[in-house]
Amino acid sequence: MKKIHYLCGLPRSGNTLFGSLMNQNPKISVTTNSIVCDIFCGVYTMKESERFKNYPDKQSFDNVFGNIMNNYYSHWKADHIIDRSTWGLPINFDILKKHYGKDIKIIVLVRDLKEILASFIKFSYSNNDNYIAKNAKTLDERCDYVMANNGELHRWINAVYNITRPENKEYIHLIEYNDLVNNTKAEIDKVYDYLDIQPFEHRFTNLSQLENNGIKYDDTIVGEGLHTVKEDKVEKSDYDMLKYLPSDVDKRYRLDTFWK
């Protein structure tokens, strides 16, 4: 039976790079931004429906719910699946704990929020055919769009903020983005120790794009380049971050209230 682990990383924090590196090991598959969490939690919440309460067939329900993970990944060849999604959101994390108890290991990738926002905005100016540029024009509008309270980034921020609370530290392994790109081998080795998997000799040049079972991100949906890994070597992009941020960025988005 496959072992399922979890990845709950802030966007633009090296999730795709991490997946590309770990997937060099044929025994490991790190997913793209997965729908499994939505399926898992969507099915679970059906227990609160009037129809279920009217006829509470718990055994039949568990036949489906208890096999979602295994069924979804049944054709994947890897022994270890690292599923990336917003597992840190309170409702998602509570369901994980109730179903799997202490047998939960979550890798959390984090990065300074200013760097994350600047990375999104820089990407938005790379072409006019991406989801940010289609919905916002000026720099301020683009930043507001990315940082919207009902937006995708805010959802991930809430997930990471919750999962990194002190009371949850036993469930997580934290990786800082700068450590991942500057001390890559050491950080990857720590992941093997954390997951109790036999080490593997990774390469850190001539990288491949993230792929599982012959399927890659189709970034024509969101904008070309959003999930592209630098193939020559692991390296942080060097650019003037302030060029892509409003002058009142801290006050505007109250970044000090989030995890840093």
Side-chain angles (χ1 to χ4, degrees):
M1 182 176 293
K2 294 177 176 62
K3 184 70 175 177
I4 309 295
H5 313 287
Y6 307 93
L7 173 60
C8 183
L10 288 171
R12 315 306 290 172
S13 297
N15 296 280
T16 308
L17 169 63
F18 175 77
S20 172
L21 292 169
M22 295 299 294
N23 284 4
Q24 292 174 14
N25 186 340
K27 294 185 177 181
I28 297 175
S29 284
V30 178
T31 76
T32 58
N33 198 357
S34 169
I35 65 169
V36 176
C37 182
D38 297 326
I39 298 172
F40 193 77
C41 299
V43 171
Y44 187 85
T45 55
M46 289 180 182
K47 292 181 74 173
E48 300 302 317
S49 69
E50 288 187 358
R51 279 185 294 169
F52 180 81
K53 291 180 178 179
N54 183 233
Y55 187 79
D57 185 353
K58 297 180 181 179
Q59 181 61 59
S60 297
F61 179 89
D62 289 342
N63 290 342
V64 174
F65 181 76
N67 287 289
I68 289 174
M69 293 286 192
N70 291 331
N71 286 341
Y72 190 92
Y73 291 114
S74 63
H75 67 293
W76 291 47
K77 296 180 180 179
D79 297 329
H80 297 269
I81 306 295
I82 303 177
D83 182 278
R84 185 199 170 201
S85 195
T86 51
W87 292 105
L89 287 173
I91 185 173
N92 300 344
F93 185 50
D94 287 345
I95 293 172
L96 268 187
K97 287 191 293 184
K98 288 177 182 177
H99 189 67
Y100 293 110
K102 296 291 184 179
D103 192 24
I104 303 171
K105 291 188 176 182
I106 305 177
I107 298 164
V108 183
L109 286 167
V110 294
R111 186 180 185 182
D112 180 82
L113 288 177
K114 286 184 185 178
E115 289 190 12
I116 291 174
L117 178 56
S119 179
F120 270 119
I121 302 308
K122 182 176 181 293
F123 157 74
S124 78
Y125 283 106
S126 64
N127 60 71
N128 293 320
D129 193 29
N130 62 76
Y131 77 101
I132 300 174
K134 288 179 179 178
N135 288 279
K137 300 304 178 185
T138 68
L139 174 64
D140 284 0
E141 288 173 349
R142 295 183 189 207
C143 290
D144 287 346
Y145 179 77
V146 172
M147 293 298 298
N149 285 337
N150 61 346
E152 185 69 6
L153 176 58
H154 202 269
R155 185 166 175 261
W156 281 102
I157 290 173
N158 287 338
V160 170
Y161 182 83
N162 178 64
I163 201 66
T164 54
R165 292 176 184 272
E167 61 267 29
N168 295 327
K169 65 180 180 180
E170 65 182 292
Y171 298 103
I172 70 169
H173 174 73
L174 203 66
I175 303 177
E176 295 265 6
Y177 174 74
N178 287 332
D179 291 334
L180 180 64
V181 294
N182 294 325
N183 303 294
T184 312
K185 185 180 185 305
E187 292 303 315
I188 294 299
D189 287 345
K190 290 177 185 176
V191 170
Y192 277 92
D193 287 340
Y194 173 63
L195 299 180
D196 194 24
I197 301 174
Q198 184 176 353
F200 180 84
E201 192 66 31
H202 289 267
R203 67 180 187 279
F204 304 108
T205 58
N206 190 28
L207 305 180
S208 302
Q209 299 303 317
L210 180 57
E211 177 180 339
N212 284 299
N213 305 311
I215 304 173
K216 299 180 181 179
Y217 274 115
D218 179 3
D219 277 346
T220 60
I221 306 300
V222 292
E224 294 290 351
L226 185 61
H227 299 103
T228 300
V229 172
K230 293 181 180 179
E231 296 185 348
D232 53 344
K233 60 180 177 179
V234 178
E235 181 181 53
K236 185 176 181 179
S237 296
D238 183 19
Y239 61 92
D240 182 5
M241 180 177 70
L242 297 180
K243 178 181 176 181
Y244 299 100
L245 298 174
S247 58
D248 62 343
V249 60
D250 289 305
K251 182 179 179 180
R252 182 187 291 249
Y253 305 118
R254 298 175 62 196
L255 296 182
D256 60 328
T257 66
F258 297 119
W259 186 93
K260 289 186 177 181

